[in-house]
Amino acid sequence: MTSPHKHFWAATEPDALVGTWEREALKSETRGRDGLSPQQVAQNPLPLAEKCSSQLREGNYRFISYKQVLKTRGHKRPPRTIAVPAARDRAPLKALLSFLHSSVPSSRSTLAQDKVSAVATALATGRYRHFIRIDIQDFYPSIDHAALEASIETHVPVAEARTALLAAVRTPILGDIGKSKYTASAKGVPQGLPISNALAEMLLSDVDAIYQADPDIEYFRYVDDILILTKRSMHRKIYGALSKSLEQKGLKCHPLKSNDSKSTWGPTGVPIDYLGYALSSGRVSVREETVSRLKGRLAHRFVTFKNVLKNRPHFREPDQWEKDCIDRFLWFLNISITGCILDGRRRGWIHYFSQINDFGLLRELDHFVRSKFIREQMSIPDDLKSFIKSYRQAVRVSNNTSGYVPNFDKYSSDEQADLLRRIFRVHQDELDALSTQDMAILFYRKLRKELASLETDLSFS
């Protein structure tokens, strides 16, 4: 058995599938179209794991149709369609991702922060005078299945894995639970699956390789956002050639325009807007629109606090009510500043923008927060967090942040219960009735919801 076959066999072991289901059951209650929760799947997982493992290895695993979830993308933009797999299918999908990452190097992606760091390094050389930024329209939904099948055939060395990957891609996204016609998808890669990004990376790896090998340019791509640095003005030539290459994958670029367009070009002497950053030689900052959104969210924390404080229930003592409101307000404000660690990842604004070197912006944000306290005639708390110190923690390689940035993955059951009671106002009687597992599920659900709202500030599409 060759090494890729060993990797596929290891990823699809029954015990590996069981472990994935059990981890999913601890942190999620999300159901797919079959209506089963992760907890139900994890109750007696071994027989199901043996069946799924056998079907994956025999090349006849069939995925349940994905549940459709629509995610808003702002004013005048159609919502993004997210595919939610059935709880049963999440372990096989993660097994396929594990196999791809271990056996297919072209399926691995790079963090946005690493892309930004590479762009900043290239700009700092002073070799490049011009840039062209290209944005691909409706990236995941537009991917051509014939091109994707050819890519899978070329890159994936195990036939059974190829079959499972194509089955996952062709599984349709349908509405709510109920009767819907099951018709295999003929176009696009469902967004929201563990394998979605890996398949897209693999598909475009040949295009990436061509432009990365060109000694006269620097080429960067993060999902559907492409940035190319050039020594001379050649934006129309590059745009035309790259557009043709992407059309062969079923993809279309936004029209190239000089101003206010998703695809544009210009001199490197002005800040380049890429992945929410503003990049120029020697300076890495955040684009103004993104900073404004963050300030708006911080200001909204103060408005919410004032409104909640005024609406004291008649049975609550005024002093205790005010103390509790201040406690919650400061927690939400601090988490907006520091971000956190959850699900093994650093989350939040400061962590996404950890590549900046614009310390003036960080001081500006700290001043903005402190001035809000002064304008609202509120005392500045001793335990108010700062963007400057949060940034210093964010640039550390280790997740050991000395407690300044909360690591919620390390919270004990007692700490989870305390946060749920104090901050999310879960009644003590309800907490007492929860098992340790149910406590963790509620804890992660509340935090993920809060972080989802925080990370809307990171939108750069």
Side-chain angles (χ1 to χ4, degrees):
M1 187 181 291
T2 64
S3 182
H5 284 81
K6 288 180 180 178
H7 289 152
F8 181 68
W9 214 255
T12 56
E13 279 287 348
D15 286 348
L17 299 179
V18 168
T20 300
W21 282 323
E22 289 177 343
R23 287 188 294 274
E24 185 80 10
L26 284 173
K27 297 182 179 181
S28 173
E29 291 181 302
T30 305
R31 300 168 187 254
R33 291 195 75 254
D34 63 349
L36 293 179
S37 70
Q39 292 71 39
Q40 289 172 300
V41 172
Q43 281 178 357
N44 183 28
L46 189 56
L48 179 60
E50 290 172 343
K51 180 181 178 181
C52 292
S53 173
S54 176
Q55 290 175 342
L56 286 165
R57 292 170 176 181
E58 292 170 5
N60 58 16
Y61 188 89
R62 181 173 177 178
F63 294 89
I64 298 168
S65 57
Y66 307 125
K67 184 172 75 173
Q68 181 188 68
V69 173
L70 299 178
K71 186 176 180 181
T72 59
R73 294 196 290 173
H75 185 57
K76 292 184 179 180
R77 300 186 65 190
R80 179 180 286 115
T81 298
I82 303 299
V84 178
R88 182 205 72 178
D89 290 336
R90 292 170 204 172
L93 285 167
K94 289 185 177 180
L96 290 171
L97 178 65
S98 175
F99 162 72
L100 286 174
H101 283 175
S102 64
S103 300
V104 185
S106 60
S107 70
R108 302 171 198 152
S109 59
T110 303
L111 291 174
Q113 294 93 324
D114 293 335
K115 293 287 185 185
V116 169
S117 177
V119 173
T121 299
L123 286 170
T125 66
R127 295 177 59 203
Y128 304 101
R129 293 188 170 189
H130 302 272
F131 77 90
I132 174 172
R133 192 186 70 230
I134 299 173
D135 188 87
I136 303 172
Q137 296 185 32
D138 296 323
F139 181 54
Y140 286 105
S142 301
I143 292 173
D144 179 73
H145 276 197
L148 182 60
E149 186 172 353
S151 173
I152 290 173
E153 188 69 31
T154 299
H155 294 277
V156 180
V158 178
E160 294 80 7
R162 293 196 294 268
T163 299
L165 289 167
L166 288 171
V169 168
R170 290 169 177 158
T171 298
I173 304 172
L174 303 176
D176 291 335
I177 298 170
K179 292 184 178 179
S180 295
K181 186 177 180 181
Y182 188 106
T183 304
S185 296
K187 182 182 179 183
V189 170
Q191 295 184 73
L193 304 184
I195 60 172
S196 301
N197 194 48
L199 291 176
E201 288 296 308
M202 200 164 60
L203 175 71
L204 293 185
S205 61
D206 58 339
V207 176
D208 294 341
I210 292 170
Y211 287 90
Q212 287 167 348
D214 190 330
D216 294 324
I217 67 172
E218 286 282 356
Y219 169 94
F220 309 92
R221 181 183 62 80
Y222 182 77
V223 191
D224 55 354
D225 289 299
I226 298 170
L227 178 67
I228 300 174
L229 305 179
T230 63
K231 297 175 182 177
R232 62 184 189 279
S233 182
M234 50 194 301
H235 52 277
R236 298 201 182 279
K237 178 182 177 182
I238 290 177
Y239 180 83
L242 188 52
S243 294
K244 287 182 180 179
S245 297
L246 293 172
E247 283 173 5
Q248 295 174 8
K249 316 287 187 182
L251 302 172
K252 184 179 179 181
C253 301
H254 281 278
L256 185 65
K257 298 179 182 178
S258 59
N259 293 307
D260 299 324
S261 173
K262 286 181 173 290
S263 294
T264 189
W265 80 93
T268 56
V270 298
I272 301 170
D273 178 357
Y274 188 58
L275 304 182
Y277 282 78
L279 297 136
S280 55
S281 181
R283 186 172 184 267
V284 182
S285 189
V286 181
R287 71 174 185 174
E288 290 182 8
E289 182 184 345
T290 306
V291 174
S292 295
R293 277 204 301 268
L294 174 63
K295 287 182 176 179
R297 179 168 294 280
L298 293 170
H300 184 68
R301 296 290 190 200
F302 287 83
V303 174
T304 301
F305 165 69
K306 291 288 188 180
N307 289 337
V308 171
L309 189 62
K310 287 189 295 186
N311 294 318
R312 176 179 61 87
H314 68 278
F315 56 86
R316 293 294 304 272
E317 290 293 331
D319 289 346
Q320 187 61 45
W321 175 251
E322 182 177 5
K323 181 179 180 299
D324 290 347
C325 287
I326 291 173
D327 188 28
R328 294 183 73 246
F329 159 69
L330 187 59
W331 187 90
F332 282 111
L333 182 63
N334 278 339
I335 208 74
S336 298
I337 295 169
T338 66
C340 68
I341 298 168
L342 186 72
D343 296 323
R345 294 194 299 118
R346 296 180 180 225
R347 309 282 293 273
W349 195 94
I350 198 68
H351 298 286
Y352 181 82
F353 290 108
S354 61
Q355 298 303 308
I356 67 172
N357 58 17
D358 185 357
F359 298 103
L361 171 61
L362 297 176
R363 287 191 289 271
E364 175 190 330
L365 291 171
D366 281 333
H367 175 74
F368 176 82
V369 173
R370 296 178 75 85
S371 66
K372 286 295 294 181
F373 276 96
I374 294 170
R375 282 197 295 271
E376 298 294 339
Q377 299 181 340
M378 298 168 62
S379 299
I380 298 175
D382 293 336
D383 49 352
L384 173 67
K385 302 296 179 72
S386 86
F387 281 94
I388 287 280
K389 189 167 182 179
S390 299
Y391 169 82
R392 290 175 181 148
Q393 299 290 336
V395 297
R396 291 184 176 184
V397 175
S398 169
N399 273 355
N400 179 12
T401 58
S402 304
Y404 194 80
V405 175
N407 186 341
F408 293 121
D409 290 334
K410 292 186 176 181
Y411 270 38
S412 67
S413 294
D414 287 344
E415 289 172 317
Q416 290 177 0
D418 178 66
L419 193 70
L420 288 169
R421 179 183 52 77
R422 287 191 306 107
I423 305 304
F424 294 104
R425 289 182 171 170
V426 179
H427 198 274
Q428 187 63 49
D429 290 344
E430 182 180 347
L431 293 173
D432 291 340
L434 294 175
S435 66
T436 301
Q437 177 174 314
D438 289 338
M439 178 89 70
I441 291 169
L442 182 61
F443 177 75
Y444 275 91
R445 188 179 72 203
K446 295 284 189 182
L447 286 172
R448 287 196 186 107
K449 183 177 180 181
E450 174 61 23
L451 288 169
S453 67
L454 275 181
E455 292 176 346
T456 58
D457 296 326
L458 305 183
S459 174
F460 49 79
S461 58

